[in-house]
């Protein structure tokens, strides 16, 4: 009887330990997921020029900046951030209609280490998983053990559904970034561009400004003709993460800190540890109080049937469509059937408490 009681308590103790472990693991995972960030939408007439000058970014509110207060040194070498040692700010932007992510990286370092030709270089390591597919994406993390650390996995898997940019800060006598995967073409125009501004030499202190943009991909293999760009849409989240690798002595092989935005060190090869960044709408000061916008889709070319889609912004009371063939509609999203083939000038007029707006498109709508 006594042995049965002992067995029962041992079983309950093990259950409790398992429960505690699960709670701790869950706490770590939840800690990874409880933060989110924003990506600033640049107006189409204020797209940043990639010249290493941060003036274009003055319109970005301060709340978009991600600083050292969001990073932690998961190497354990630096117990807390010290702005006299390293101070970093990152802003991310986008432009509606372009599948590009713009970055402003500003950093002060008390010792800039960039004199060697290899990976021993102060680095901004960026992870992009724009469709939030998640999961491991480098060859050493391949779920099939027979493919782990193989060239087959490198070419077919590494960096394909998420990308890792190992950006040198600064890059001297080397390309601006190493793309960790078999798709180095993504770091060049027309897929990316970068520019620096700094006035220090190796081993000196100073401030660096790095401006760049990249194109995220849902699929990016060795062959660019098969690549699929990520489609960036307003109010959607994408997966991003980064780390700052800080070297402070050219004679030391190890870094002086791995400042990670993620709570998980292996974020560099597992997109599940990225963080949600929201593609924000235009800030209020860049919006018109009322603006007519519209698009269309040919529903049936044989019947010359066209669906018109209102995309106007602002508070709207009435819509007035002129289809260019002598007919009109006051519906918000009308469908119209043209009697004759032709190219038409279509006009949308809207009215609201803040005024009126009109948009015409010349010969966009054509039916045969």
């Amino acid at each position: 009887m006594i042995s049965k009681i002992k067995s029962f308590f041992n079983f309950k103790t093990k259950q409790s330990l398992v429960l505690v472990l699960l709670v701790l693991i869950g706490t770590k995972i939840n800690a990874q997921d409880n933060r989110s960030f924003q990506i600033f939408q640049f107006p189409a007439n204020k797209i940043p020029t990639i010249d290493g000058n941060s003036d274009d970014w003055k319109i970005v509110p301060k709340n978009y900046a991600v600083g050292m207060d969001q990073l932690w040194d998961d190497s354990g070498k630096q117990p807390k951030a010290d702005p006299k040692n390293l101070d970093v700010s990152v802003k991310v932007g986008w432009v509606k209609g372009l599948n590009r992510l713009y970055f402003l990286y500003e950093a002060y370092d008390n010792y800039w280490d960039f004199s060697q030709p290899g990976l021993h270089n102060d680095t901004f390591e960026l992870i992009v998983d724009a469709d939030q597919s998640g999961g491991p994406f480098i060859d050493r993390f391949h779920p099939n053990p027979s493919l782990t650390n193989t060239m087959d996995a490198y070419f077919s898997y590494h960096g394909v559904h998420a990308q890792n940019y190992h950006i040198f800060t600064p890059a001297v006598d080397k390309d601006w970034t190493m793309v960790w995967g078999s798709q180095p073409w993504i770091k060049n125009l027309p897929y990316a561009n970068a520019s620096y501004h700094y006035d220090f030499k190796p081993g000196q202190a100073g401030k660096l400004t790095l401006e760049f943009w990249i194109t995220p991909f849902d699929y990016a293999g060795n062959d660019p003709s098969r690549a699929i760009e990520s489609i960036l849409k307003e109010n959607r989240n994408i997966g991003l993460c980064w780390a700052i690798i800080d070297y402070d002595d050219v004679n030391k092989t190890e870094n002086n800190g791995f400042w990670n935005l993620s709570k998980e060190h292996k974020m560099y090869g597992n997109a599940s540890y990225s963080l949600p960044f929201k593609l924000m709408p235009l800030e209020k000061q860049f919006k018109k109080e009322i603006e007519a916008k519209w698009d269309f889709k040919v529903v049936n070319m044989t019947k010359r049937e066209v669906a018109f889609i209102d995309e106007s912004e602002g508070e709207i009371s009435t819509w007035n469509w002129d289809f260019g063939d002598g007919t009109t509609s006051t519906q918000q999203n009308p469908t119209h059937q043209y009697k004759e083939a032709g190219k038409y000038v279509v006009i949308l007029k809207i009215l609201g408490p803040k005024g009126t707006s009109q948009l015409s498109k010349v010969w966009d709508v054509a039916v045969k």
Side-chain angles (χ1 to χ4, degrees):
M1 183 70 179
I2 295 175
S3 61
K4 288 183 179 180
I5 294 173
K6 286 183 178 180
S7 297
F8 173 79
F9 279 106
N10 286 336
F11 174 74
K12 297 299 289 183
T13 302
K14 288 178 181 178
Q15 275 192 321
S16 300
L17 288 172
V18 170
L19 181 61
V20 169
L21 287 171
L22 288 173
V23 169
L24 290 173
I25 292 170
T27 302
K28 184 176 181 180
I29 293 172
N30 289 334
Q32 167 66 24
D33 294 337
N34 64 3
R35 290 177 300 155
S36 61
F37 302 92
Q38 297 179 334
I39 301 177
F40 176 79
Q41 184 178 151
F42 283 96
N45 63 341
K46 295 182 182 294
I47 299 175
T49 302
I50 304 302
D51 57 3
N53 187 328
S54 63
D55 287 348
D56 295 339
W57 292 78
K58 289 180 179 178
I59 64 173
V60 182
K62 292 182 179 179
N63 61 290
Y64 283 88
V66 181
M68 295 295 293
D69 60 319
Q70 295 292 340
L71 308 179
W72 68 296
D73 178 19
D74 66 10
S75 71
K77 298 169 185 174
Q78 306 293 335
K80 63 179 181 178
D82 179 1
K84 293 181 180 179
N85 173 51
L86 180 69
D87 195 15
V88 172
S89 173
V90 182
K91 293 180 180 177
V92 190
W94 78 296
V95 179
K96 192 174 183 178
L98 293 178
N99 298 324
R100 294 179 178 179
L101 294 172
Y102 290 81
F103 291 83
L104 176 67
Y105 178 83
E106 296 177 296
Y108 168 82
D109 196 351
N110 67 338
Y111 186 105
W112 286 99
D113 196 341
F114 58 99
S115 63
Q116 298 188 35
L119 286 174
H120 184 109
N121 198 121
D122 287 332
T123 302
F124 176 53
E125 187 168 13
L126 174 66
I127 310 304
V128 185
D129 179 28
D131 64 356
Q132 295 189 305
S133 54
F137 63 92
I138 64 175
D139 52 7
R140 72 174 68 164
F141 294 160
H142 199 289
N144 184 345
S146 66
L147 290 175
T148 301
N149 280 328
T150 65
M151 293 308 295
D152 281 345
Y154 183 77
F155 281 101
S156 65
Y157 179 78
H158 196 127
V160 171
H161 76 270
Q163 293 82 50
N164 179 311
Y165 295 79
H166 202 88
I167 303 169
F168 302 114
T169 55
V172 175
D173 298 328
K174 67 176 74 171
D175 215 349
W176 73 280
T177 184
M178 178 196 77
V179 171
W180 196 9
S182 65
Q183 52 289 105
W185 52 268
I186 68 174
K187 66 183 174 182
N188 301 320
L189 285 168
Y191 308 108
N193 195 19
S195 182
Y196 299 86
H197 178 76
Y198 63 94
D199 59 2
F200 48 78
K201 295 179 180 179
Q204 293 182 342
K207 180 180 178 180
L208 174 139
T209 299
L210 166 63
E211 230 184 339
F212 67 96
W213 61 265
I214 59 171
T215 304
F217 290 88
D218 290 347
Y219 178 89
N222 182 250
D223 181 1
S225 68
R226 297 181 58 207
I228 301 173
E229 289 187 13
S230 304
I231 305 300
L232 303 183
K233 292 188 177 181
E234 193 169 279
N235 289 316
R236 286 190 179 178
N237 283 329
I238 65 171
L240 285 179
C241 198
W242 57 73
I244 291 87
I245 306 173
D246 184 29
Y247 290 92
D248 274 3
D249 190 341
V250 71
N251 296 315
K252 290 183 178 180
T253 58
E254 292 187 357
N255 62 62
N256 193 46
F258 188 91
W259 294 93
N260 200 338
L261 182 61
S262 174
K263 301 296 184 182
E264 171 56 55
H265 178 75
K266 292 181 179 179
M267 63 86 192
Y268 59 82
N270 191 325
S272 295
Y273 301 126
S274 63
L275 290 158
F277 278 70
K278 188 175 182 179
L279 296 159
M280 297 299 292
L282 283 173
E283 293 283 322
K284 185 177 180 181
Q285 63 267 33
F286 301 116
K287 288 184 178 181
K288 294 180 181 180
E289 291 187 323
I290 186 169
E291 184 176 12
K293 294 181 179 180
W294 60 272
D295 203 349
F296 72 97
K297 182 178 181 180
V298 178
V299 178
N300 190 317
M301 184 63 78
T302 303
K303 294 182 178 181
R304 305 189 187 99
E305 191 174 15
V306 182
F308 291 91
I309 306 153
D310 172 51
E311 297 178 343
S312 303
E313 296 179 354
E315 188 178 349
I316 303 166
S317 304
T318 62
W319 294 261
N320 195 316
W321 293 86
D322 182 339
F323 299 121
D325 63 350
T327 61
T328 62
S329 173
T330 57
Q331 295 180 6
Q332 182 180 359
N333 298 295
T335 298
H336 180 64
Q337 187 172 6
Y338 286 90
K339 293 181 179 180
E340 297 180 359
K343 297 172 287 187
Y344 295 93
V345 178
V346 178
I347 306 168
L348 171 62
K349 297 179 182 178
I350 57 173
L351 171 68
K354 300 295 184 179
T356 63
S357 181
Q358 173 178 306
L359 177 64
S360 65
K361 295 187 180 184
V362 179
W363 296 355
D364 279 25
V365 180
V367 291
K368 62 182 180 179

